[in-house]
Amino acid sequence: MIKFENVSKNYKDKCVLKNINLEIEKGHLVTFIGESGCGKTTTLKMINRLIKPSLGKVFINGENIETKDVIELRRRMGYVIQQTGLFPHMTVKDNIEIIPKAEKRNPETIRKRTYELMEMVGLKPDEYLHRYPTELSGGQQQRVGVARAFATDPEIILMDEPFSALDPITRVGLQDELINLQSQLKKTIVFVTHDMDEAIKIADMICIMQHGEILQYDTPENILKNPCNDFVSEFVGKNRIWTSPEYIKAEDVMISSPVTCQKNMSLLRCIEKMRSYKVDSLMVIENTTNRLLGIVNARQIQLQSDHSQEVGNIMSADFLSVSPENNIIEILKIVEENQVTNIPVLDNNNTLLGLITKSSLVTTLSQQYLETEEEYS
Ligand SMILES: Nc1ncnc2c1ncn2[C@@H]1O[C@H](COP(=O)(O)OP(=O)(O)O)[C@@H](O)[C@H]1O
Ligand SMILES: [Mg+2]
């Protein structure tokens, strides 16, 4: 775990970081994002002691890093920067193996690891290991840079805009490789970027900075849904959530108080209830627990001749449902495959939490085409 405690940085009388407090969990990928000059690189470089705080402390696993041997500290960290930093007169293999060899690790282990890493970053080892950096494209060089950062199997990997200089397609490819590597290796990764799409795509947590301060440190989902102020919401962009619709969950889309009835209610009273609430179906729930027992719609009732009978006799007890965590893509798929428009949202105990209706879906989907919420109302 990395922890910043009341960290500030001044250059002469200029304050570039103001009282940074931040905790980065082990195994998480955290992105620092913000406009140029906001202090991202300065913050990152404090973790490997390339920059010393003017005030405050940085801890790794509870230990103040100032008390540690700096060489030792940096060996425990991979570091990837925009300008790869590969040695031009060394082959790809030698570049990747430079630190493991300096540490006198077992040659056979090193060789195997290099092969594995090349595969992981999407470069065929036999084709590329013996080339020099200049014989690779920018994207390939950056892949080697990433492989090298992972070579010593460090606990922490620092990445400062590693993909920024690449064309968009190469960049997306490398982001995918990084996600893939991270899902296998679970490193603590601190990743600086100025690209919001990149941050949302790869991060467990996003740290939004402005003028040397942290504005919001949160999950991508919360940054998208609950930006803490106008700067963040401006920075994130109004319709950005639609580039990550997997963050729009059933609980965001549902109406939270669907019209319900008990299973012993007569059909006549059910019809009255539907009329007064202007709905065409009722959720039949168990009295004390709110568990959903069935669904009845107006058409089913109309087909019955005896309207004094209880709704429990005719309700459909075999219904589709979703959990609050299901996302809008999954929901739309269910709607399309089953031709249903009302889908109850249930927790693990079948408790009714809400209802997704055609109109709640349309309302959500239409937001993506509207500039502001004011225009919508
Ligand atoms: N050695 C330095 N001397 C004076 N000012 C510096 C120095 N290094 C960085 N700065 C200033 O600190 C601020 C933050 O820089 P940096 O962390 O590199 O920003 P970012 O990475 O977010 O673009 C900038 O205003 C930059 O000009
Ligand atoms: Mg920078």
Side-chain angles (χ1 to χ4, degrees), residues 14 42 54 71 91 111 133 150 174 177 202 242 270 280 301 336 367:
K14 188 176 160 203
T42 306
S54 307
I71 303 294
T91 62
R111 198 190 63 82
F150 281 86
L174 271 151
E177 299 292 354
I202 65 175
W242 291 101
C270 288
D280 61 4
I301 296 182
E336 189 187 315
Q367 274 160 3

mmCIF file of all heavy atoms in Angstrom, residues 14 42 54 71 91 111 133 150 174 177 202 242 270 280 301 336 367:
data_model
loop_
_atom_site.group_PDB
_atom_site.id
_atom_site.type_symbol
_atom_site.label_atom_id
_atom_site.label_comp_id
_atom_site.label_asym_id
_atom_site.label_seq_id
_atom_site.Cartn_x
_atom_site.Cartn_y
_atom_site.Cartn_z
ATOM 1 N N LYS A 14 6.852 28.990 -5.332
ATOM 2 C CA LYS A 14 5.719 28.436 -6.075
ATOM 3 C C LYS A 14 5.303 27.085 -5.482
ATOM 4 O O LYS A 14 6.120 26.177 -5.356
ATOM 5 C CB LYS A 14 6.137 28.258 -7.538
ATOM 6 C CG LYS A 14 4.982 27.882 -8.447
ATOM 7 C CD LYS A 14 5.462 27.828 -9.902
ATOM 8 C CE LYS A 14 4.502 27.007 -10.733
ATOM 9 N NZ LYS A 14 5.113 26.461 -11.929
ATOM 10 N N THR A 42 4.969 15.120 -10.685
ATOM 11 C CA THR A 42 5.611 15.418 -9.402
ATOM 12 C C THR A 42 5.154 14.413 -8.341
ATOM 13 O O THR A 42 5.977 13.867 -7.600
ATOM 14 C CB THR A 42 5.246 16.863 -8.963
ATOM 15 O OG1 THR A 42 5.587 17.749 -10.025
ATOM 16 C CG2 THR A 42 5.980 17.256 -7.701
ATOM 17 N N SER A 54 8.440 18.732 -0.040
ATOM 18 C CA SER A 54 8.894 19.831 0.820
ATOM 19 C C SER A 54 8.346 19.621 2.221
ATOM 20 O O SER A 54 8.995 19.920 3.208
ATOM 21 C CB SER A 54 8.395 21.177 0.280
ATOM 22 O OG SER A 54 8.744 21.327 -1.066
ATOM 23 N N ILE A 71 18.307 2.950 -3.796
ATOM 24 C CA ILE A 71 18.523 1.987 -4.877
ATOM 25 C C ILE A 71 17.605 0.772 -4.694
ATOM 26 O O ILE A 71 16.912 0.324 -5.614
ATOM 27 C CB ILE A 71 20.004 1.497 -4.900
ATOM 28 C CG1 ILE A 71 20.979 2.679 -5.028
ATOM 29 C CG2 ILE A 71 20.222 0.481 -6.023
ATOM 30 C CD1 ILE A 71 20.907 3.429 -6.336
ATOM 31 N N THR A 91 19.964 -4.902 -27.418
ATOM 32 C CA THR A 91 18.810 -5.576 -28.007
ATOM 33 C C THR A 91 17.629 -5.521 -27.030
ATOM 34 O O THR A 91 17.786 -5.194 -25.853
ATOM 35 C CB THR A 91 19.105 -7.065 -28.267
ATOM 36 O OG1 THR A 91 19.376 -7.686 -27.010
ATOM 37 C CG2 THR A 91 20.284 -7.240 -29.214
ATOM 38 N N ARG A 111 15.605 -16.052 -18.543
ATOM 39 C CA ARG A 111 15.287 -16.336 -19.942
ATOM 40 C C ARG A 111 13.800 -16.666 -20.098
ATOM 41 O O ARG A 111 13.111 -16.158 -20.975
ATOM 42 C CB ARG A 111 16.151 -17.505 -20.430
ATOM 43 C CG ARG A 111 16.239 -17.633 -21.946
ATOM 44 C CD ARG A 111 16.909 -18.950 -22.341
ATOM 45 N NE ARG A 111 16.141 -20.104 -21.905
ATOM 46 C CZ ARG A 111 15.091 -20.602 -22.562
ATOM 47 N NH1 ARG A 111 14.715 -20.049 -23.698
ATOM 48 N NH2 ARG A 111 14.432 -21.638 -22.091
ATOM 49 N N PRO A 133 16.085 -1.338 -30.460
ATOM 50 C CA PRO A 133 14.908 -0.476 -30.333
ATOM 51 C C PRO A 133 14.549 0.274 -31.623
ATOM 52 O O PRO A 133 13.369 0.404 -31.951
ATOM 53 C CB PRO A 133 15.289 0.498 -29.210
ATOM 54 C CG PRO A 133 16.193 -0.312 -28.336
ATOM 55 C CD PRO A 133 16.969 -1.192 -29.289
ATOM 56 N N PHE A 150 7.984 -4.917 -15.836
ATOM 57 C CA PHE A 150 7.486 -6.081 -15.105
ATOM 58 C C PHE A 150 8.577 -7.132 -14.865
ATOM 59 O O PHE A 150 8.353 -8.116 -14.168
ATOM 60 C CB PHE A 150 6.326 -6.738 -15.872
ATOM 61 C CG PHE A 150 4.996 -6.033 -15.709
ATOM 62 C CD1 PHE A 150 4.633 -4.972 -16.531
ATOM 63 C CD2 PHE A 150 4.095 -6.447 -14.730
ATOM 64 C CE1 PHE A 150 3.405 -4.330 -16.376
ATOM 65 C CE2 PHE A 150 2.860 -5.812 -14.576
ATOM 66 C CZ PHE A 150 2.521 -4.751 -15.400
ATOM 67 N N LEU A 174 -2.381 -1.327 -26.510
ATOM 68 C CA LEU A 174 -1.535 -1.405 -25.319
ATOM 69 C C LEU A 174 -2.341 -1.338 -24.028
ATOM 70 O O LEU A 174 -2.007 -2.000 -23.045
ATOM 71 C CB LEU A 174 -0.485 -0.287 -25.354
ATOM 72 C CG LEU A 174 0.776 -0.736 -26.076
ATOM 73 C CD1 LEU A 174 1.497 0.413 -26.732
ATOM 74 C CD2 LEU A 174 1.726 -1.443 -25.113
ATOM 75 N N GLU A 177 -3.529 -4.754 -23.466
ATOM 76 C CA GLU A 177 -2.455 -5.607 -22.957
ATOM 77 C C GLU A 177 -2.205 -5.340 -21.473
ATOM 78 O O GLU A 177 -1.973 -6.257 -20.699
ATOM 79 C CB GLU A 177 -1.134 -5.369 -23.710
ATOM 80 C CG GLU A 177 -1.176 -5.664 -25.200
ATOM 81 C CD GLU A 177 -1.341 -7.147 -25.519
ATOM 82 O OE1 GLU A 177 -1.306 -7.975 -24.586
ATOM 83 O OE2 GLU A 177 -1.510 -7.459 -26.705
ATOM 84 N N ILE A 202 -8.912 1.684 -17.771
ATOM 85 C CA ILE A 202 -7.937 0.820 -17.097
ATOM 86 C C ILE A 202 -7.963 0.894 -15.572
ATOM 87 O O ILE A 202 -7.460 0.009 -14.908
ATOM 88 C CB ILE A 202 -6.487 1.130 -17.571
ATOM 89 C CG1 ILE A 202 -6.070 2.544 -17.165
ATOM 90 C CG2 ILE A 202 -6.360 0.942 -19.075
ATOM 91 C CD1 ILE A 202 -4.620 2.852 -17.487
ATOM 92 N N TRP A 242 -21.809 7.239 -21.560
ATOM 93 C CA TRP A 242 -22.262 6.410 -22.680
ATOM 94 C C TRP A 242 -21.115 5.720 -23.403
ATOM 95 O O TRP A 242 -21.347 4.838 -24.215
ATOM 96 C CB TRP A 242 -23.122 7.231 -23.631
ATOM 97 C CG TRP A 242 -24.394 7.558 -22.930
ATOM 98 C CD1 TRP A 242 -24.724 8.726 -22.330
ATOM 99 C CD2 TRP A 242 -25.448 6.634 -22.639
ATOM 100 N NE1 TRP A 242 -25.927 8.595 -21.696
ATOM 101 C CE2 TRP A 242 -26.403 7.336 -21.867
ATOM 102 C CE3 TRP A 242 -25.694 5.298 -22.957
ATOM 103 C CZ2 TRP A 242 -27.571 6.736 -21.414
ATOM 104 C CZ3 TRP A 242 -26.860 4.708 -22.503
ATOM 105 C CH2 TRP A 242 -27.781 5.426 -21.744
ATOM 106 N N CYS A 270 -57.508 -5.398 -7.711
ATOM 107 C CA CYS A 270 -56.280 -5.225 -8.515
ATOM 108 C C CYS A 270 -56.540 -4.266 -9.677
ATOM 109 O O CYS A 270 -55.721 -3.376 -9.956
ATOM 110 C CB CYS A 270 -55.795 -6.566 -9.064
ATOM 111 S SG CYS A 270 -55.096 -7.644 -7.805
ATOM 112 N N ASP A 280 -50.123 -0.951 -15.944
ATOM 113 C CA ASP A 280 -50.818 -2.090 -16.557
ATOM 114 C C ASP A 280 -50.366 -3.429 -15.976
ATOM 115 O O ASP A 280 -50.707 -4.482 -16.498
ATOM 116 C CB ASP A 280 -50.674 -2.071 -18.083
ATOM 117 C CG ASP A 280 -49.229 -2.167 -18.508
ATOM 118 O OD1 ASP A 280 -48.347 -2.318 -17.620
ATOM 119 O OD2 ASP A 280 -48.957 -2.101 -19.717
ATOM 120 N N ILE A 301 -56.003 -10.410 -16.240
ATOM 121 C CA ILE A 301 -57.201 -10.249 -15.418
ATOM 122 C C ILE A 301 -58.450 -10.190 -16.287
ATOM 123 O O ILE A 301 -59.457 -10.830 -16.003
ATOM 124 C CB ILE A 301 -57.091 -8.997 -14.520
ATOM 125 C CG1 ILE A 301 -55.925 -9.191 -13.540
ATOM 126 C CG2 ILE A 301 -58.396 -8.729 -13.780
ATOM 127 C CD1 ILE A 301 -55.716 -8.070 -12.571
ATOM 128 N N GLU A 336 -34.640 -7.564 -25.469
ATOM 129 C CA GLU A 336 -34.712 -7.936 -26.881
ATOM 130 C C GLU A 336 -34.980 -9.430 -27.067
ATOM 131 O O GLU A 336 -35.824 -9.828 -27.862
ATOM 132 C CB GLU A 336 -33.414 -7.561 -27.577
ATOM 133 C CG GLU A 336 -33.524 -7.725 -29.078
ATOM 134 C CD GLU A 336 -32.186 -7.515 -29.757
ATOM 135 O OE1 GLU A 336 -31.508 -6.542 -29.383
ATOM 136 O OE2 GLU A 336 -31.843 -8.321 -30.629
ATOM 137 N N GLN A 367 -31.260 10.220 -22.426
ATOM 138 C CA GLN A 367 -30.340 11.192 -21.817
ATOM 139 C C GLN A 367 -29.051 11.329 -22.619
ATOM 140 O O GLN A 367 -28.399 12.366 -22.574
ATOM 141 C CB GLN A 367 -30.020 10.789 -20.372
ATOM 142 C CG GLN A 367 -31.071 11.333 -19.426
ATOM 143 C CD GLN A 367 -31.078 10.584 -18.104
ATOM 144 O OE1 GLN A 367 -30.268 9.697 -17.876
ATOM 145 N NE2 GLN A 367 -32.000 10.949 -17.242
#
